[in-house]
């Protein structure tokens, strides 16, 4: 009875923040990779557009086989420190080192495709060993639905705080440290004027590495805090752990319909997110010609994700799960349409339009792609009810697989589209055709995918009443 009571533990604010520091750390690491590695790889590291796209694609194909292996391995083991917590440190340290190496100005490897490929592959494999146990830990802290909703809000506030550092301050810091073509520029960041250089020139390699290394140190500290302030309460029994099999992945896909639907939503959501993020730097640099505004616009973009998640649980109660996602996906589409208006000739200098478009778009994006993580624990509970096995890591591996597919499509295809549209890696100016390719990739494809996402989430079958019923049945089985 004490064990059952502990499973419904009401998480304290400190516990929620402690867990959320894991999101903060991973967004510092992988958010910067997703948002700026392509730009760095093509311009500073001078690797060809199509080649970079191939690197992103091939590494993701490897994940199709790797992630299920990681999920099975983690689910079959435990230790005194827990089943999932230890991996945050075991794999977290190699994660930050490999991430920094991708931007390292090492003599003799600049423009080296084998070096970039090997390091990026190793980084991606290690990232799975951090991310899958971390996602599984989410469902192991408590089974209390209210605490899970609050936990999701807290972790997304911290994740988006990291995004503030990534998308607002990172490009500004790198430009401030870049040596070529330095001049005093109006950042529109509270009227701040800064001496900024060209961060897309190969001479900026030390600037990228210096700034990113500081981010990695902060990320390592945040991972330690996550490890220190979390406790596993809802875990598989020894019998369930012993019965974990690799084939459980296929059984979950076969029997867990909510998992498949949520996985498809994850894939679509991360696809249009990374379509947009991959070309965001290109859009600001070449379409509107205001890379110095990225800090100010990024600050506006970060506000909804930091301040508004606190309202997510109440909004879900008012509109229901499906209504919640439909409203915010619709907001994302409106924001993208306004972004298109900003891209039109004569509108490039309309900072007010950039602010409005970005604010609406990011409010919708961070809410839709943030709150979907609150659905993963109930999918795990549903799977436990159906199969008798609590395969938290395997289910998170499946979710990670859908995420990686979306990340792959959103990271590789935009680069190929830019290549098809004639993007010139060494050109300070781009052709009209290349500009059109950037706009299509940054605006129109994400809009289409967001519409499809609205259809998919409408099919999700687990309501809040179903969650209560699932927990009740699991309690009866355990008694």
């Amino acid at each position: 009875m004490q064990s059952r009571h502990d499973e419904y533990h009401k998480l304290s604010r400190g516990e929620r923040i402690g867990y959320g520091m894991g999101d903060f750390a991973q967004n510092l690491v992988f958010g910067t990779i997703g948002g700026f590695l392509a730009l760095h790889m093509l311009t500073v590291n001078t690797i060809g557009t199509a080649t970079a796209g191939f690197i992103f694609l091939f590494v993701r194909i490897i994940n199709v086989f790797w992630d299920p292996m990681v999920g099975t391995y983690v689910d079959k083991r435990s230790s005194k420190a827990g089943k999932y917590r230890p991996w945050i440190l075991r794999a977290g340290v190699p994660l930050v080192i490999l991430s920094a190496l991708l931007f390292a100005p090492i003599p003799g490897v600049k423009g080296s495709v084998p070096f970039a490929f090997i390091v990026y592959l190793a980084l991606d494999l290690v990232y799975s060993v951090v991310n899958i146990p971390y996602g599984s830990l989410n469902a192991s802290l408590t089974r209390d639905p209210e605490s899970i909703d609050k936990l999701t809000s807290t972790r997304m506030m911290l994740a988006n705080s990291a995004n503030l550092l990534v998308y607002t301050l990172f490009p500004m810091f790198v430009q401030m440290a870049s040596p070529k073509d330095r001049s005093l520029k109006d950042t529109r960041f509270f009227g701040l004027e800064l001496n900024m250089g060209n961060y897309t020139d190969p001479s900026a390699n030390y600037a990228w590495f210096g700034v990113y290394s500081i981010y990695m140190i902060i990320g390592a500290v945040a991972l330690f805090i996550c490890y220190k302030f979390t406790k596993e309460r809802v875990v598989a029994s020894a019998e369930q752990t012993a019965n974990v099999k690799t084939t459980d992945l296929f059984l979950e896909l076969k029997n867990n319909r909510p998992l498949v639907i949520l996985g498809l939503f994850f894939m679509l959501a991360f696809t249009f997110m990374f379509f947009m993020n991959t070309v965001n730097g290109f859009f600001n640099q070449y379409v509107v010609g205001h890379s110095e505004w990225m800090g100010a616009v990024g600050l506006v973009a970060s506000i909804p994700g930091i301040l508004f998640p606190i309202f997510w649980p109440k909004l879900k109660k008012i509109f229901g799960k499906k209504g919640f996602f439909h409203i915010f996906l619709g907001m994302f589409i409106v924001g993208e349409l306004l972004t298109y208006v900003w891209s039109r000739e004569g509108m490039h200098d309309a900072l007010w339009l950039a602010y409005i478009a970005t604010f609406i778009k990011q409010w919708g994006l961070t809410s839709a792609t943030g709150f979907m993580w609150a659905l993963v624990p109930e999918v795990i509970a549903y799977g436990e009810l159906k199969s008798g096995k609590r395969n938290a890591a395997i289910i998170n591996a499946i979710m990670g697989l859908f995420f990686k597919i979306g990340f792959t499509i959103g990271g590789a295809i935009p680069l190929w589209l830019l290549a098809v549209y004639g993007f010139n890696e060494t050109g300070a100016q781009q052709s009209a055709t290349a500009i059109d390719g950037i706009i299509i990739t940054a605006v129109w494809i994400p809009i289409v995918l967001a519409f499809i996402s609205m259809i998919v989430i409408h099919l999700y079958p687990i309501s809040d009443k179903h969650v209560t019923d699932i927990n009740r049945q699991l309690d009866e089985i355990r008694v």
Side-chain angles (χ1 to χ4, degrees):
M1 289 296 295
Q2 176 60 38
S3 174
R4 287 175 55 205
H5 175 73
D6 199 38
E7 288 185 356
Y8 289 92
H9 171 76
K10 297 283 187 180
L11 296 176
S12 68
R13 182 180 290 107
E15 290 174 304
R16 298 198 303 268
I17 292 174
Y19 179 76
M21 291 303 290
D23 276 288
F24 179 88
Q26 291 178 77
N27 272 27
L28 276 188
V29 177
F30 228 64
T32 313
I33 295 293
F36 294 100
L37 179 62
L39 182 65
H40 175 273
M41 193 176 286
L42 268 60
T43 58
V44 178
N45 208 20
T46 64
I47 290 176
T49 307
T51 302
F54 173 78
I55 291 174
F56 286 121
L57 176 64
F58 186 83
V59 169
R60 296 302 176 218
I61 292 174
I62 297 296
N63 278 123
V64 173
F65 306 97
W66 176 251
D67 282 10
M69 293 168 59
V70 172
T72 304
Y73 185 87
V74 171
D75 266 336
K76 283 186 70 68
R77 282 157 181 81
S78 188
S79 68
K80 291 182 178 179
K83 181 183 285 287
Y84 307 117
R85 288 175 63 246
W87 298 103
I88 295 173
L89 293 185
R90 289 173 186 170
V93 175
L95 178 72
V96 297
I97 294 173
L98 289 167
S99 301
L101 279 178
L102 278 174
F103 295 99
I106 302 174
V109 299
K110 180 181 178 181
S112 170
V113 174
F115 179 82
F117 170 74
I118 292 171
V119 175
Y120 186 62
L121 174 61
L123 167 68
D124 203 66
L125 297 180
V126 172
Y127 177 73
S128 293
V129 184
V130 176
N131 186 254
I132 290 173
Y134 176 76
S136 306
L137 183 60
N138 179 37
S140 301
L141 300 177
T142 184
R143 286 171 59 192
D144 178 61
E146 183 180 358
S147 288
I148 291 172
D149 286 348
K150 289 182 178 179
L151 176 66
T152 302
S153 299
T154 303
R155 64 181 289 200
M156 288 303 113
M157 290 172 71
L158 286 163
N160 288 303
S161 297
N163 286 341
L164 172 66
L165 293 173
V166 171
Y167 297 106
T168 300
L169 299 179
F170 182 79
M172 184 160 45
F173 289 152
V174 176
Q175 289 180 81
M176 289 170 61
S178 299
K180 188 175 180 181
D181 300 329
R182 296 179 64 82
S183 63
L184 197 63
K185 296 180 181 178
D186 183 2
T187 64
R188 303 299 173 95
F189 198 76
F190 303 111
L192 184 65
E193 293 187 352
L194 294 173
N195 198 22
M196 305 172 78
N198 181 1
Y199 76 146
T200 59
D201 186 84
S203 62
N205 53 1
Y206 285 96
W208 283 84
F209 179 68
V211 175
Y212 193 69
S213 295
I214 296 172
Y215 275 45
M216 291 306 93
I217 293 172
I218 298 171
V221 172
L223 285 173
F224 177 77
I225 293 173
C226 177
Y227 171 83
K228 192 70 176 176
F229 289 92
T230 51
K231 178 183 178 181
E232 297 178 22
R233 297 180 180 86
V234 188
V235 294
S237 65
E239 183 181 0
Q240 288 175 320
T241 298
N243 289 332
V244 172
K245 301 176 182 177
T246 305
T247 53
D248 287 347
L249 175 124
F250 302 103
L251 292 176
E252 293 290 351
L253 287 172
K254 178 182 177 182
N255 299 325
N256 197 330
R257 181 169 172 263
L259 168 66
V260 175
I261 293 172
L262 185 60
L264 290 173
F265 182 76
F266 264 60
M267 181 186 72
L268 289 164
F270 281 111
T271 298
F272 70 71
M273 177 194 293
F274 281 106
F275 250 88
M276 188 181 67
N277 288 347
T278 298
V279 297
N280 183 56
F282 297 89
F283 184 89
N284 285 276
Q285 181 82 6
Y286 300 108
V287 176
V288 296
H290 286 296
S291 61
E292 74 277 8
W293 289 1
M294 289 181 69
V297 174
L299 175 63
V300 171
S302 67
I303 291 173
I306 296 174
L307 299 182
F308 296 166
I310 194 172
F311 302 113
W312 288 353
K314 182 165 288 187
L315 289 172
K316 189 199 77 169
K317 288 182 180 179
I318 295 173
F319 299 106
K321 290 177 185 175
K322 296 177 183 178
F324 180 97
F325 287 107
H326 289 159
I327 288 171
F328 285 109
L329 286 170
M331 288 178 62
F332 171 79
I333 292 170
V334 171
E336 281 285 64
L337 291 173
L338 291 174
T339 300
Y340 173 72
V341 175
W342 182 31
S343 74
R344 295 295 82 199
E345 203 67 42
M347 301 300 294
H348 296 168
D349 295 329
L351 183 62
W352 62 270
L353 178 59
Y355 283 162
I356 294 173
T358 303
F359 185 85
I360 295 174
K361 175 172 62 178
Q362 290 298 325
W363 190 359
L365 179 67
T366 54
S367 298
T369 59
F371 196 72
M372 65 186 183
W373 294 100
L375 309 186
V376 176
E378 64 191 42
V379 167
I380 292 173
Y382 180 91
E384 183 181 1
L385 182 63
K386 288 293 182 180
S387 66
K389 297 182 178 182
R390 189 171 179 83
N391 293 325
I394 289 177
I395 288 178
N396 271 279
I398 294 172
M399 301 309 299
L401 197 57
F402 282 112
F403 155 70
K404 296 290 180 62
I405 293 172
F407 185 82
T408 301
I409 298 171
I413 292 182
L415 299 181
W416 291 340
L417 286 174
L418 294 187
V420 169
Y421 278 90
F423 178 80
N424 181 3
E425 297 93 341
T426 59
Q429 302 293 327
Q430 299 296 328
S431 67
T433 304
I435 295 297
D436 288 340
I438 295 173
I439 294 172
I440 289 171
T441 308
V443 176
W444 296 115
I445 293 177
I447 285 176
V448 172
L449 293 174
F451 269 120
I452 299 174
S453 299
M454 294 173 75
I455 297 172
V456 170
I457 200 64
H458 186 73
L459 302 176
Y460 185 74
I462 300 180
S463 66
D464 286 340
K465 182 180 181 303
H466 289 144
V467 173
T468 302
D469 291 341
I470 290 169
N471 284 332
R472 177 183 54 78
Q473 291 178 65
L474 287 175
D475 286 340
E476 291 174 354
I477 291 171
R478 293 183 183 190
V479 170

